[in-house]
Every structure is written in C-alpha cells, then in structure tokens.
Amino acid sequence: MYHATRAAIEKAAARALAIVGVTNSWMSGRSAYYVEMIAKADLAGIHTASSARSVAPFGGSRPALGTNPIAFGLPSSRGPVVFDMGTSAFMGTDLAFRERLGQLLPEGVAIGAVGQPTRDPMLAGGGALLPFGGYKGFGLAFIVQALGVLAGSALDPDKDDGYLFVVFKPDLLLNLDDFKRQVSELIDRIKATPRQPGVSEIRIPGERAFHSRERAFREGIEIDRVVYEALGPWMLDRQRWRYGRLSTVA
C-alpha cells in the first residue's frame, strides 16, 4: 500500500488526478498513514479498503463485509488534516487484542455464531462484528466493499481485498494556498466553538492521534506483557528503532 500511495502521489502531481486500485494483498494497517503521506504532498486523498468478511450486514447474522475503513487526507497551513474510520462498530485488530488479553468487548458491537449478542471476543470471532450506527454504517461498509470491486477485488481468490486511492490537486478547484488557509480557518472556527460543561478542548479528527504519536516519540510506548511475549525479537528490535524506548506492563 505504501508503493501504491507513492504511485498515486506521483501520478497526481504530474496529471492533477490519479485513481489507483490494489488487490491480491493483505491487511494494510492504518489507512491514516497513507492519506497523511498524500496530504504532506499538498494533495487531497481518499482511501477505501474492503477486506475479509468479518462484519454482518444490518439485520444479518453472518459476516458478509469487511471492517472496511475509509480515510481522508487534506493539506492545511497547520499541517495534514486526517480522518480515518472503520465502518464496523469494533475493529478486527482490537477484537484480536481483546481476545489475547482476555478482555470483554463493549456492549452492542458483536454477535455469536447464531446471531446472539456477545461480549466474548472468542464467540465474536466465530460470529460477526456489527456495523457502527446501524443501517448508516452498513451503507458505508457496502459502498467501500463495492469500491473494492472497482479496485480489483474480483481478481482476488476470496473476492474481498480491494484498496482504492483517489488523489488530486486541490487547485483543480481552488488555489492551493487559499485552500490550505481556508481549511486552517475552518479548524480555528470549529475549535473556538463554545464548549459543553466538562469539555476542555474540541479536537479535529486525527488531532489526538498526532498528539499521541508525538508523545510516543518523546516518552516511548508501553505495551502489555502478554503482547510483548508474543512478539518475536525482530519485531521488538523494530519497535526500539522506531520509538527509541520500549517498556512493558504486567
């Protein structure tokens, strides 16, 4: 997906617009990573990722859709603006994480093999996750799956994996500097909105993740001992290289 992102950036920089599809792949990680690359190149990007069946359709009892994230990246004079969301009520990686740690799921995010609600991650693994927001989340998940077909998922043996990038120059419609300034003004206006009691800050999508990343580079990361022991030496070396310091908790 990194190479597909680079190709989309290069094509859009040369021709103002690029549409790139990828299939015969596997889980690509955080979609935010790729649309941030696009925004840093002063381009606007949309990335959709249809994936293996783990989510039931609205009203269904068996998985028929992937967790199917959709992500957007835009440049601004404050830096990249990034929004990345899954269309399922709970993400598959978080499900595996909860199962490994022996923790329960939140209410209302999964069903077991015969469609019964469950908080047990093992039962959910044999059943299905649910779309977020009922029929609205299901509608988005369906569209991402359909765009996966456009990206080539029909060529994949399981006909599930299809990753689509739509990348373009903002100045197709508006001068780039004006666009970046106006997006920044939009952010400032939203963050200046009067807050509800107990709310210390209104955050823009992606802002918390950026702050967490900065803190991780400064302070290192903390992971559970169970996860630490499941990682091989090579992966641990990579974590030390990327973040500089690694600590674990029991």
Side-chain angles (χ1 to χ4, degrees):
M1 225 53 62
Y2 172 83
H3 296 295
T5 306
R6 293 300 318 166
I9 289 171
E10 291 169 6
K11 290 177 181 294
R15 299 177 178 84
L17 171 67
I19 300 176
V20 175
V22 181
T23 189
N24 192 30
S25 185
W26 193 61
M27 188 183 75
S28 58
R30 293 176 64 249
S31 298
Y33 177 80
Y34 308 111
V35 294
E36 184 181 356
M37 287 173 57
I38 292 165
K40 284 182 174 178
D42 279 342
L43 299 166
I46 303 169
H47 175 43
T48 65
S50 68
S51 53
R53 282 162 261 190
S54 59
V55 179
F58 182 65
S61 61
R62 299 297 296 165
L65 301 162
T67 55
N68 291 10
I70 182 169
F72 302 83
L74 299 171
S76 81
S77 56
R78 299 168 58 121
V81 177
V82 171
F83 178 57
D84 175 12
M85 60 163 280
T87 55
S88 56
F90 206 71
M91 296 308 293
T93 49
D94 291 334
L95 174 66
F97 185 62
R98 292 287 181 102
E99 182 176 351
R100 185 177 291 277
L101 296 182
Q103 297 176 350
L104 294 176
L105 302 174
E107 295 278 1
V109 303
I111 54 177
V114 295
Q116 78 281 15
T118 185
R119 296 184 63 197
D120 186 326
M122 291 188 66
L123 293 179
L129 294 169
L130 296 174
F132 90 94
Y135 70 91
K136 293 184 178 181
F138 164 58
L140 277 174
F142 173 81
I143 291 299
V144 172
Q145 201 83 34
L147 289 173
V149 175
L150 186 64
S153 66
L155 302 175
D156 181 75
D158 295 323
K159 295 183 170 51
D160 288 323
D161 294 324
Y163 302 87
L164 187 71
F165 291 90
V166 179
V167 181
F168 58 94
K169 286 185 175 181
D171 54 14
L172 284 170
L173 299 169
L174 185 67
N175 175 270
L176 175 62
D177 290 336
D178 289 342
F179 175 74
K180 294 169 71 172
R181 175 180 52 80
Q182 290 182 37
V183 171
S184 296
E185 291 172 355
L186 173 63
I187 293 171
D188 291 338
R189 175 165 59 83
I190 291 173
K191 292 181 75 67
T193 303
R195 299 185 296 273
Q196 296 179 11
V199 176
S200 61
E201 180 187 15
I202 295 174
R203 288 195 296 248
I204 300 302
E207 189 172 4
R208 185 179 68 172
F210 288 151
H211 290 165
S212 296
R213 181 172 62 191
E214 291 169 3
R215 186 172 62 252
F217 275 115
R218 283 195 316 270
E219 303 173 5
I221 60 173
E222 184 176 276
I223 63 174
D224 288 89
R225 172 65 62 178
V226 173
V227 175
Y228 174 86
E229 291 174 349
L231 295 171
W234 177 84
M235 180 60 75
L236 294 176
D237 287 341
R238 280 182 62 84
Q239 294 296 339
R240 292 190 185 96
W241 173 75
R242 289 182 65 192
Y243 295 104
R245 183 164 60 258
L246 182 73
S247 61
T248 63
V249 295

